[in-house]
Amino acid sequence: MKKIISLVLLVIGFAGNAQSSLPQGATDIAPLLIGEKIPNSTLKSIDGNAVSLKSVLDKKRTILVFYRGGWCPYCNLHLAALGEAEKELLDLGYQIVAISPDAPKNLKVTEEKDKVNYLLLSDSNGDLAKAMGIAFQAPDKYKSILNKGSDGINNHFLPVPSVFIVNLDSEIEFEHITPDYKHRISNDLLVAAAKSLIK
């Protein structure tokens, strides 16, 4: 019995450490750098199906976007703006993939609300955001919002809004990371960066 209790306490301890080991704030993160590879991760589609990120990135050069959730008005503005640049980016040979902690059913709400044509994926447990080094401890005021948005899976982390341009080898060629969630990359800068990377 003592062994079982010790094991339970050990597991609880690891879970607590995993959460407390997240950076305290958005400015404390240590994101992956240009030249590093995007780690593979299993995400969920709008329909709730498992999706291998690597299989998506292998198809085309990718504009990979991380946003806080469909509940965030600044994220909705950014997603809508990306839609306006989508044709130009597609013509350059890119695809757009946007990832958030939202549960699949809430991705569907965002897709319809923001008239999104590109791929939305769910990272509710935060495995990818944490591996990317862009996750941080959510302030208490966001925890109930995150819990609802993720369908009860996440109430402890937020991703810093980020945009990565990724090549067919899953390598980061450009990144724009904004700890101040009210500021996002402009379409002009994103398209210019995307054009500059086409060889």
Side-chain angles (χ1 to χ4, degrees):
M1 186 68 180
K2 282 184 181 176
K3 282 185 180 177
I4 293 171
I5 292 169
S6 298
L7 185 59
V8 169
L9 290 173
L10 189 63
V11 170
I12 291 169
F14 273 126
N17 289 339
Q19 186 169 326
S20 64
S21 66
L22 280 175
Q24 288 284 324
T27 56
D28 301 320
I29 63 166
L32 294 182
L33 303 174
I34 290 170
E36 294 192 278
K37 285 199 173 194
I38 303 289
N40 190 26
S41 188
T42 300
L43 305 169
K44 286 195 175 172
S45 69
I46 277 183
D47 300 321
N49 297 320
V51 176
S52 159
L53 181 60
K54 186 177 186 311
S55 70
V56 173
L57 298 182
D58 282 350
K59 291 177 186 171
K60 275 186 170 186
R61 297 171 67 84
T62 303
I63 310 294
L64 187 63
V65 179
F66 288 83
Y67 67 102
R68 297 169 1 129
W71 51 269
C72 169
Y74 298 95
C75 296
N76 289 320
L77 288 171
H78 186 209
L79 295 177
L82 280 170
E84 293 168 13
E86 184 175 20
K87 184 182 184 306
E88 196 168 359
L89 291 167
L90 289 177
D91 289 346
L92 289 169
Y94 290 91
Q95 64 180 341
I96 301 173
V97 178
I99 298 170
S100 79
D102 280 352
K105 69 179 184 183
N106 288 321
L107 294 181
K108 189 148 193 70
V109 172
T110 297
E111 181 187 57
E112 292 167 358
K113 179 175 59 180
D114 297 330
K115 298 178 174 61
V116 170
N117 295 314
Y118 48 85
L119 183 62
L120 298 181
L121 294 172
S122 170
D123 179 35
S124 291
N125 58 17
D127 286 349
L128 179 60
K130 291 168 190 172
M132 296 287 297
I134 58 169
F136 67 99
Q137 288 183 46
D140 287 343
K141 66 180 179 179
Y142 288 115
K143 289 184 176 177
S144 63
I145 297 170
L146 292 168
N147 192 57
K148 184 178 178 186
S150 66
D151 214 11
I153 295 173
N154 170 38
N155 67 356
H156 70 279
F157 83 92
L158 272 169
V160 169
S162 307
V163 175
F164 300 89
I165 298 181
V166 183
N167 66 22
L168 288 167
D169 294 320
S170 296
E171 293 168 346
I172 299 168
E173 296 189 313
F174 170 89
E175 61 185 36
H176 189 277
I177 296 162
T178 50
D180 181 350
Y181 64 86
K182 295 179 182 178
H183 298 283
R184 306 297 169 96
I185 188 171
S186 69
N187 280 349
D188 288 345
L189 176 56
L190 179 58
V191 170
K195 282 180 178 174
S196 75
L197 294 168
I198 300 293
K199 297 174 177 69

